[in-house]
Amino acid sequence: MTLTLLFSAPDRTWPAYETVLQQALKTAGIDADLTRSARPDAVDYIIYAPNDTLTDFTPYIRTKAVLSLWAGVEKIAPNPTLTQPLCRMVDPGLAQGMRDYVVGHVMRYHLGMDRHIHGLNGAWDHITPPLARDRPVTVLGLGELGQSCARALAALGFHVTGWSRRPKQIAGLTCVSGPDGLKMALKTGEIVVLLLPNTPQTENTLNAETLALLPKGARIVNPGRGSLIDDDALLTALDAGQIGHATLDVFRTEPLPQDHPYWAHPNVTVTPHIAAETRAQTASEVIAENIRRGEAGEPFLHLVDRAAGY
């Protein structure tokens, strides 16, 4: 039987996926009609990224699952018309890109590279950085991306503390959870990486109270979600020297407005949401595998817990 797959995503996305997704389906042995439009009652699977064309999932009575192209699902999970299973994107290419970004900026802070890149005006400032084993790093969020980054940092010798809402045990990491675990993780983190999902519970995880728990001069790397940080509190902590520097890749409003204080702050690095991008090639393989699973009656990969929001 030929499956009908509706690719419902912004127009700019289609050229990247059209060929590689069809090839991935073929490789997985899936006979499918991949289309940009179809009668709702004929669609077997929806491959989805937030767009203006599809916001009401009610007519898709035959659809077995909605397969997101995004790792974050906060823009679709709350949709009351969505009753079909929802799978988020966990793309190996995205995880590798996030790992590279995080490791790069953690090493930049660890080695004090900015001092030399920006120049010391002829001063022979002989400051030797500590060994990685003597630099505690905290990773907030131990999902697929958080674990990938935390393991990579641990492999370089850093002592990594990972925090998650629910208890986890991961070899090579110190894992803590819950409110008390968060306080402990922050108190020890000279460098803090934020990779939590965007939920009501995680909004403003770093605020005036929690920023004050960090060691004075701590560095922050946020490639997760803009909502994880109280912007005003961070700016205050930066001005006071409580936070030494922040590298921010995600923001509440994107692109970041030109008049936002982050642009001009000497202790903020703004990057334009480049830490990790879903790669069409590897994402297509994940989509094809989930469709194969759906047709074989096997559990879907990366099924979203709608109550938790991720």
Side-chain angles (χ1 to χ4, degrees), residues 46-275:
I46 300 173
I47 300 160
Y48 184 82
N51 64 90
D52 295 333
T53 303
L54 175 52
T55 56
D56 182 4
F57 294 88
T58 306
Y60 292 87
I61 55 176
R62 174 170 157 172
T63 299
K64 301 169 188 174
V66 176
L67 309 175
S68 177
L69 294 174
W70 287 14
V73 292
E74 63 273 8
K75 291 190 176 181
I76 178 176
N79 189 322
T81 70
L82 180 63
T83 57
Q84 300 87 344
L86 172 65
C87 301
R88 63 191 180 91
M89 175 53 65
V90 178
D91 168 29
L94 185 149
Q96 291 169 23
M98 183 66 79
R99 177 202 64 196
D100 293 351
Y101 180 96
V102 167
V103 168
H105 283 283
V106 168
M107 290 301 294
R108 165 195 170 200
Y109 284 148
H110 170 61
L111 297 175
M113 294 171 69
D114 286 5
R115 294 171 57 82
H116 306 286
I117 291 171
H118 295 303
L120 297 172
N121 297 321
W124 189 262
D125 196 357
H126 190 75
I127 297 177
T128 303
L131 297 175
R133 69 187 184 190
D134 298 321
R135 176 84 73 187
V137 176
T138 290
V139 176
L140 302 183
L142 291 175
E144 296 284 343
L145 298 179
Q147 288 189 38
S148 175
C149 294
R151 286 194 178 106
L153 292 168
L156 290 171
F158 291 101
H159 178 79
V160 180
T161 298
W163 180 82
S164 57
R165 191 166 64 93
R166 300 176 181 135
K168 294 188 177 183
Q169 291 185 338
I170 303 169
L173 308 180
T174 298
C175 297
V176 295
S177 60
D180 290 340
L182 178 61
K183 290 178 182 178
M184 187 187 96
L186 292 175
K187 286 180 179 179
T188 60
E190 293 183 13
I191 302 173
V192 177
V193 180
L194 283 82
L195 284 166
L196 292 162
N198 182 10
T199 70
Q201 290 74 32
T202 63
E203 185 170 5
N204 293 333
T205 294
L206 290 190
N207 52 45
E209 179 181 353
T210 53
L211 287 166
L213 295 174
L214 291 167
K216 189 173 180 63
R219 269 67 171 174
I220 293 169
V221 182
N222 184 18
R225 295 288 186 268
S227 62
L228 300 177
I229 296 177
D230 179 332
D231 293 330
D232 290 337
L234 176 57
L235 287 164
T236 298
L238 286 162
D239 290 340
Q242 170 60 18
I243 303 301
H245 200 281
T247 294
L248 309 175
D249 187 59
V250 286
F251 307 92
R252 292 173 187 269
T253 300
E254 294 186 3
L256 185 67
Q258 292 185 353
D259 61 350
H260 197 285
Y262 282 149
W263 284 116
H265 201 288
N267 292 325
V268 174
T269 297
V270 171
T271 60
H273 205 142
I274 56 170

Side-chain angles (χ1 to χ4, degrees), residues 28-53:
I30 297 168
D31 181 14
D33 176 22
L34 180 63
T35 180
R36 295 282 282 141
S37 68
R39 286 194 349 263
D41 61 0
V43 173
D44 294 290
Y45 295 88
I46 300 173
I47 300 160
Y48 184 82
N51 64 90
D52 295 333
T53 303

Side-chain angles (χ1 to χ4, degrees), residues 5 20-32 34 287-288 291:
L5 312 181
V20 295
L21 182 51
Q22 288 174 338
Q23 182 58 51
L25 293 165
K26 182 179 179 181
T27 300
I30 297 168
D31 181 14
L34 180 63
I287 293 290
I291 293 172

